[in-house]
Each structure stands twice: as structure tokens, then as C-alpha cells.
């Protein structure tokens, strides 16, 4: 089984991946780590700010890693924002039956009510350093993009609009 976890920044993708790693003992691949490895090694001239171009660059690599894991009967969690909304077109039914897709989307109301907690928990698993760019409107914009992308592509999403811990716990237990 390969679990793909995606969503906007600060939605808890890495936290969910960590909890799934602990529950299932599946290894996980951070697309941010892959991105930075390729950037720092000089294998691309892209920068961490080139989000759309990074999706185009990273997805073919990630897609083939997912296929390899499935072909080898290996489990893996793939976590990051560099998953295109039309990702399913790259897999046959044989592969799709072995993939669980999770897209985390926070509602505007949730962000308004919990912005302080969102910021406070932003480094629970990884050190984000300076995230002064992270504002209520910036988080809302990112989540709206993921909501619209999922709706347009017909992809399921997990709406975070209430008890965050309960929602994450349920995703781990499914």
C-alpha cells in the first residue's frame, strides 16, 4: 500500500505522515526532502519558491517511485504538496488499487478560529524556521487552491473544519 498525503502548507501533512509511520511502520518519503536534495545537489536550477515548476519536476520521479514500491510489494507514505491534481491519469487500475490518496484542506472558518494553533504547531515534526510569511490570508489562499483543485479533478479531500486531532486520528485508523 502506498499512501499519498498532500494539501496546502501548514495543514499537517508531515504530522499525519509521522503518525502513520508510527502506527503502520511504513517508511515515508518527504517530497520537501527530495526537492531540497535535488536543489542542493545542483541537479536542478529550480528554487524552493518555484512551486508549480517543482510539481512538474518532482512528480515524474515520485510517480515512478510509487510504481516501484507497488511492484515490489512495499508499503510507503509519500507526503508533500508536489502532487498534481490529475495524478490518477499516471496509474493503471492495478496501481490505483494499491494507492490511498489523502488531501488535507482546512476551511476558512477553521483557519480563522485556529490560526494561533496552526502557527504554534507548524514545527511539531520539522523546524520551519522563519515562517513570518504565514498569515491567515496566505493559509486560506493555499487551502482554497487545494479545495478547488480537488473539486475540479473529482478528487476526495478531508475537510478540516472541527476537531483536528479527531480528524487526524480517524485518518490514521482507516
Amino acid at each position: 500500500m502506498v499512501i499519498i498525503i498532500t494539501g496546502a502548507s501548514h495543514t499537517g501533512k508531515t504530522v499525519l505522515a509521522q503518525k502513520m509511520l508510527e502506527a503502520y511502520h511504513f517508511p515515508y518519503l518527504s517530497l520537501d526532502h527530495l526537492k531540497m536534495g535535488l536543489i542542493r545537489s545542483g541537479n536542478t536550477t529550480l528554487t524552493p519558491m518555484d512551486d508549480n515548476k517543482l510539481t512538474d519536476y518532482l512528480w515524474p520521479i515520485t510517480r515512478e517511485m510509487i510504481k516501484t514500491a507497488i511492484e515490489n510489494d512495499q508499503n510507503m507514505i509519500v507526503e508533500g504538496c508536489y502532487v498534481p491534481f490529475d495524478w490518477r491519469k499516471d496509474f493503471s487500475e492495478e496501481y490505483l488499487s494499491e494507492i490511498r490518496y489523502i488531501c488535507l484542506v482546512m476551511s476558512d472558518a477553521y483557519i480563522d478560529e485556529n490560526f494561533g494553533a496552526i502557527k504554534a504547531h507548524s514545527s511539531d515534526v520539522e523546524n520551519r524556521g522563519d515562517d513570518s510569511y504565514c498569515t491567515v490570508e496566505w493559509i486560506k489562499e493555499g487551502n482554497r487552491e487545494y479545495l478547488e483543485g480537488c473539486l475540479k479533478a473529482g478528487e476526495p479531500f478531508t475537510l478540516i473544519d472541527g476537531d483536528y486531532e479527531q480528524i487526524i486520528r480517524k485518518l490514521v485508523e482507516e
Side-chain angles (χ1 to χ4, degrees):
M1 170 67 60
V2 173
I3 302 168
I4 298 173
I5 303 170
T6 193
S9 183
H10 288 73
T11 55
K13 298 179 300 293
T14 308
V15 168
L16 178 57
Q18 181 67 35
K19 289 182 183 290
M20 287 184 161
L21 175 145
E22 293 166 4
Y24 306 151
H25 305 285
F26 291 3
Y28 86 83
L29 168 67
S30 164
L31 296 182
D32 280 338
H33 291 172
L34 178 60
K35 166 189 76 177
M36 291 310 298
L38 291 164
I39 290 171
R40 288 180 172 176
S41 67
N43 281 298
T44 181
T45 58
L46 297 173
T47 72
M49 306 313 289
D50 293 323
D51 281 343
N52 291 334
K53 291 178 183 175
L54 281 163
T55 298
D56 293 342
Y57 181 67
L58 294 174
W59 180 245
I61 298 165
T62 305
R63 174 191 69 216
E64 298 308 316
M65 292 174 74
I66 290 169
K67 287 179 182 177
T68 301
I70 292 169
E71 291 162 359
N72 292 335
D73 292 322
Q74 294 174 300
N75 299 311
M76 181 169 64
I77 300 164
V78 176
E79 171 269 318
C81 62
Y82 305 107
V83 178
F85 294 109
D86 64 350
W87 68 273
R88 286 182 195 272
K89 72 175 177 42
D90 294 326
F91 298 97
S92 67
E93 282 303 317
E94 177 186 344
Y95 291 110
L96 289 171
S97 68
E98 297 295 322
I99 298 173
R100 178 178 174 201
Y101 174 82
I102 300 169
C103 182
L104 302 176
V105 177
M106 293 177 170
S107 72
D108 282 358
Y110 181 85
I111 295 165
D112 285 335
E113 293 171 19
N114 295 282
F115 180 70
I118 291 167
K119 288 277 285 190
H121 290 284
S122 67
S123 292
D124 281 358
V125 177
E126 62 186 345
N127 182 3
R128 288 188 182 270
D130 177 24
D131 71 346
S132 57
Y133 59 88
C134 179
T135 64
V136 169
E137 200 48 50
W138 183 81
I139 290 179
K140 285 182 179 181
E141 181 181 327
N143 279 273
R144 285 184 205 124
E145 287 175 17
Y146 273 85
L147 177 60
E148 290 169 11
C150 284
L151 291 171
K152 183 177 178 183
E155 286 296 336
F157 57 90
T158 299
L159 184 64
I160 299 169
D161 196 29
D163 185 337
Y164 182 86
E165 291 298 325
Q166 181 181 5
I167 292 167
I168 296 302
R169 192 173 324 115
K170 182 179 175 193
L171 288 170
V172 171
E173 292 170 358
E174 289 180 350

